[in-house]
Amino acid sequence: MFRHESFDRSLFNAAPARPLALDPGFRPLALGVRAYRRALAAHGSRERVVLGLEQNAGWAARLELDVFPGGADEDSLRYVSWMLNGLLWACGGSRAAVSGPRALCEAIAEEYGPRGPWAFEREIMGLAYSQPFSVEVMDEVPVPAPRPLALGGNLEGCRIGFDLGASDYKVAAVRDGEVVFSAELPWNPKAEADPAYHYARINEGFRLAASHLPRLDAIGGSSAGILVDNQVKVASLFRAVPPGPFEAQVRPLFLRLREEWGVPLEVINDGDVTALAGGLSLERNGILGIALGSSEAVGFLDRAGRITGWLNELAFGCVDANPRAGTDDWSGEPGVGAAYFSQQALDRLAGPAGFAFPPGMALPERLRDVQERLARGDSAAREFFLTIGAYLGYTLPWYAEFYDLEHAMILGRVTSGEGGELILARAREVLEAEFPDFAARVQVFLPDEKSRRVGQAVAAASLPALS
């Protein structure tokens, strides 16, 4: 891979000021970008590169960058390639456009082309937008028009809210904005190849919640994966389902449930519901919500309090520039968010931390074990959560390259208990030391414990408007 050549001499081989004891090879992209821009400023001459993304309904995002003249150096290719990667997983698109120095633009098109290294990105974007992903070199990249979704904030009536995760399924019954029942139901969707299992388990939760309401007016939900127009486009939850049954039964699953229940039903990305939960409960906007659970779920509520319609699949976006970084359990690519901001971090850090788990112990049980060790004062468990916090502190400024945020709300199973406070404290410490301007303008916070566990299901209930 061209972007990995000569990394030891690269500007992106930028180490934290205080190396991470459990991950000394961590090279935050935010530090690499800063090093590149400082070197560019010292050089004194530059050229402009513009990136753009088109979705099925039109152009959705545009990003302007400065690079070294000609852009033929390896670090300029790394820089633009990673910026396109970040924008792609934040926004999503069926086609990318790039303008600027010809040699650099053609190299980017080749990187993301059929013979380039970003095969997972091409595959997922093709599935999400039902057409092959491509990169086009243009003289001018179009300016997008904002197309935010008008969902959420509807509290009247009797509603069900649900949140589908990889290890549990949260459901809540909500009446005029008040929670009258909530539960976490264990399930194992990733191992089930029969679509009927998924349909039946989700319906079981609906029936349980509906039994606590005098009537049912609407259903709102969130799910891991990529959903467009209430259809499942890509989701690791259903990875065991063969392509044929997936297309016939999983893709329209929520449309079928809407028809069966006969009420308005809306389902969106779980990360967007995370951000919506923060906006509703705290009356704040400009929120980047990050749920650290089975994977990393991200959503964004813009400064006007609107869901943007972007993918927000940062679990697959790079956060670590080191080509030898750990991989996640799906994309197989190094340095992606899911391997740093979810239970999957245990796979990478268990060895350095000295954790020994019984063979076959699942990640949720491993996490619970580490949380119990922390409660007993175990120093290795403490270091694990502090490492997650350091990852977060170094990554939030990278995410701010793509989101105009004022607040970052952190929640999810990994943040439960004392571990969440350690994550937050270390993240703030890193930001204040390494990114003081960012720390001064962006508030990073945890919601209360109850909101961390079931807040997404409650916020999801507010998605549909009543006819």
Side-chain angles (χ1 to χ4, degrees):
M1 291 183 182
F2 184 85
R3 68 185 189 278
H4 290 168
E5 293 177 3
S6 308
F7 182 76
D8 290 343
R9 301 190 301 275
S10 170
L11 292 167
F12 287 87
N13 187 16
R18 189 170 79 180
L20 279 59
L22 299 185
D23 191 0
F26 179 50
R27 297 295 182 265
L29 269 175
L31 292 183
V33 166
R34 184 168 68 186
Y36 179 89
R37 289 173 178 169
R38 285 176 175 175
L40 183 63
H43 184 273
S45 182
R46 65 194 64 194
E47 288 192 72
R48 178 60 54 92
V49 169
V50 182
L51 302 174
L53 289 180
E54 183 182 31
Q55 296 176 347
N56 293 341
W59 291 93
R62 190 173 187 270
L63 189 63
E64 298 185 5
L65 308 168
D66 289 327
V67 299
F68 287 103
D73 60 289
E74 290 184 6
D75 274 342
S76 289
L77 178 56
R78 288 187 176 98
Y79 176 52
V80 178
S81 186
W82 270 316
M83 294 299 289
L84 178 55
N85 183 271
L87 185 64
L88 197 59
W89 287 118
C91 176
S94 55
R95 180 171 64 141
V98 56
S99 70
R102 192 73 186 183
L104 177 59
C105 292
E106 290 176 351
I108 291 296
E110 184 177 344
E111 279 249 310
Y112 282 86
R115 292 182 295 275
W118 302 102
F120 186 73
E121 281 73 5
R122 294 194 305 274
E123 176 190 1
I124 298 302
M125 295 303 148
L127 290 172
Y129 296 100
S130 302
Q131 60 180 292
F133 176 75
S134 62
V135 177
E136 183 176 338
V137 179
M138 292 184 171
D139 293 331
E140 295 287 339
V141 175
V143 176
R147 296 175 285 109
L149 300 179
L151 293 175
N154 304 295
L155 300 176
E156 75 282 5
C158 296
R159 299 167 173 268
I160 290 173
F162 67 94
D163 173 39
L164 304 180
S167 58
D168 59 52
Y169 160 26
K170 302 178 183 69
V171 65
V174 182
R175 184 173 185 179
D176 294 325
E178 295 294 326
V179 180
V180 297
F181 169 79
S182 65
E184 296 183 32
L185 310 176
W187 74 331
N188 187 27
K190 291 196 291 186
E192 294 290 342
D194 184 359
Y197 166 87
H198 304 286
Y199 191 92
R201 289 290 285 142
I202 294 170
N203 234 349
E204 178 184 333
F206 287 5
R207 286 193 293 269
L208 177 62
S211 69
H212 294 266
L213 294 168
R215 66 180 190 279
L216 182 61
D217 298 319
I219 302 171
S222 68
S223 174
I226 297 174
L227 299 102
V228 179
D229 296 331
N230 293 301
Q231 297 182 65
V232 183
K233 295 289 189 173
V234 183
S236 62
L237 295 181
F238 311 113
R239 67 175 67 177
V241 181
F246 181 96
E247 190 68 27
Q249 298 182 61
V250 174
R251 186 180 297 275
L253 185 151
F254 296 109
L255 302 181
R256 292 165 53 210
L257 286 166
R258 175 198 285 169
E259 182 177 356
E260 176 175 339
W261 284 86
V263 298
L265 186 153
E266 298 284 348
V267 59
I268 62 175
N269 174 279
D270 50 359
D272 273 331
V273 175
T274 297
L276 180 61
L280 289 175
S281 62
L282 303 168
E283 298 183 350
R284 304 178 189 181
N285 294 327
I287 294 178
L288 187 70
I290 307 176
L292 289 69
S294 303
S295 184
E296 177 192 13
V298 178
F300 183 61
L301 205 64
D302 69 14
R303 289 178 183 254
R306 301 170 300 188
I307 293 172
T308 62
W310 284 19
L311 285 188
N312 303 314
E313 287 293 337
L314 301 188
F316 302 126
C318 292
V319 300
D320 186 348
N322 193 336
R324 294 173 285 276
T327 63
D328 80 310
D329 67 355
W330 189 7
S331 75
E333 293 185 350
V336 303
Y340 295 71
F341 301 113
S342 76
Q343 295 170 169
Q344 295 178 43
L346 277 167
D347 284 340
R348 299 176 51 255
L349 301 178
F355 298 142
F357 301 110
M361 178 182 269
L363 280 174
E365 285 69 41
R366 291 187 185 188
L367 176 63
R368 190 175 304 114
D369 177 80
V370 175
Q371 289 170 331
E372 290 171 355
R373 296 186 195 198
L374 178 64
R376 297 194 299 268
D378 184 282
S379 60
R382 179 180 177 85
E383 191 62 37
F384 168 77
F385 288 104
L386 289 174
T387 301
I388 303 298
Y391 289 154
L392 182 65
Y394 282 109
T395 299
L396 284 174
W398 167 246
Y399 288 166
E401 296 285 337
F402 313 103
Y403 297 95
D404 181 19
L405 65 149
E406 293 182 276
H407 310 280
M409 182 178 67
I410 316 302
L411 72 167
R413 188 176 295 276
V414 178
T415 70
S416 294
E418 183 185 350
E421 299 298 334
L422 291 174
I423 291 171
L424 182 63
R426 178 54 60 86
R428 286 173 172 169
E429 179 184 316
V430 167
L431 288 170
E432 289 168 2
E434 298 257 42
F435 307 93
D437 291 343
F438 182 94
R441 64 182 175 82
V442 176
Q443 181 187 12
V444 187
F445 66 96
L446 287 160
D448 60 48
E449 184 69 18
K450 182 179 179 181
S451 296
R452 281 184 245 174
R453 300 289 294 211
V454 298
Q456 285 180 269
V458 174
S462 77
L463 288 173
L466 301 184
S467 301

